[in-house]
Amino acid sequence: MFYTHSYSSPLGELTLAASDQVLTGLWFVGQKYYADTIKGDHEEKSLPIFDQTADWLDIYFSGREPGFMPPLSLNGSPFQMAVWEILREIPYGRTMTYGEIAARIAGQRGIVRMSAQAVGGAVGHNPVSIIVPCHRVVGANGSLTGYAGGTDRKAELLKLEQADRSGLFIPQNGR
C-alpha cells in the first residue's frame, strides 16, 4: 500500500509518496512523470516519514542545507539506480553536467563512453525530486534543461542553494 501527502512549497504544491516508513516519491503536482511510481491503491495519510520529509523541505526552502536525509526507497533499473546514486553525491549548491555523469557511469562499467542522453532519461525519471537533486544537473553548454518540474523551478532551486549560476541559462524553447 502506498500513502501520499501534500506539501505546499514556495515553488508549488508537492506530492510525497511513501510505503510506510520510507519515502518513495516526491513530485511537483503536474510535473512530467508525476507520481509514476505509485502503483495500485494509495491513500492520503499522515505518517512520520512525511513529517520528517516536511522538516527536510522546510529547512531546504529556508535556504539552508538540511543536515539529514529522510529514509528513501528508490526503485528503477540498475542504470537508473547508478545515475540516481551519483545525483545524491552532487553537493548542495553545486552542479554537474549530464556528460560528467555519463563519464562516471562509463568508468564504473569499464567502457569508453556512455550516452549523456541516456543519463538525461534516467535523471528525468528520478522519483524523488529535490531530495535526490536532479535539478543540479545541467547541459554541457550551461543550459538548464531536462528538469521534469520545469526549467523555471530548476533555476529557482539553484538560486535558493546560492549555486554559481554564471554561464547557466534557460534555453529559448524552455526545454
Side-chain angles (χ1 to χ4, degrees):
M1 173 67 108
F2 283 96
Y3 302 98
T4 58
H5 184 73
S6 295
Y7 177 89
S8 294
S9 88
L11 299 179
E13 194 73 16
L14 294 167
T15 297
L16 289 65
S19 59
D20 284 325
Q21 300 176 18
V22 295
L23 190 69
T24 60
L26 190 156
W27 308 270
F28 285 102
V29 170
Q31 81 172 46
K32 193 173 185 180
Y33 311 117
Y34 175 75
D36 69 347
T37 60
I38 299 176
K39 308 292 185 213
D41 293 336
H42 68 278
E43 68 178 72
E44 180 87 14
K45 186 174 181 179
S46 181
L47 296 172
I49 184 60
F50 293 141
D51 295 336
Q52 188 176 12
T53 303
D55 289 345
W56 190 100
L57 291 165
D58 289 345
I59 293 166
Y60 180 83
F61 283 115
S62 75
R64 296 176 292 141
E65 182 178 6
F68 65 97
M69 177 72 67
L72 303 176
S73 178
L74 304 177
N75 291 304
S77 71
F79 177 73
Q80 288 173 322
M81 297 295 286
V83 170
W84 298 339
E85 187 57 38
I86 292 171
L87 295 181
R88 293 176 69 176
E89 296 170 5
I90 303 171
Y92 180 91
R94 305 281 303 275
T95 60
M96 180 178 273
T97 69
Y98 295 96
E100 289 170 325
I101 295 171
R104 283 194 51 193
I105 298 285
Q108 290 171 359
R109 294 186 170 193
I111 58 177
V112 177
R113 304 187 70 225
M114 171 60 63
S115 164
Q117 289 80 13
V119 167
V123 170
H125 282 86
N126 167 25
V128 183
S129 295
I130 306 170
I131 294 174
V132 176
C134 50
H135 61 278
R136 296 180 188 152
V137 183
V138 301
N141 65 353
S143 63
L144 298 180
T145 185
Y147 187 60
T151 53
D152 289 339
R153 285 187 178 129
K154 185 173 192 167
E156 287 299 316
L157 292 169
L158 291 173
K159 180 179 177 182
L160 178 74
E161 293 183 16
Q162 299 179 9
D164 178 5
R165 297 182 326 276
S166 60
L168 299 181
F169 66 96
I170 296 175
Q172 290 299 319
N173 64 6
R175 292 185 183 172

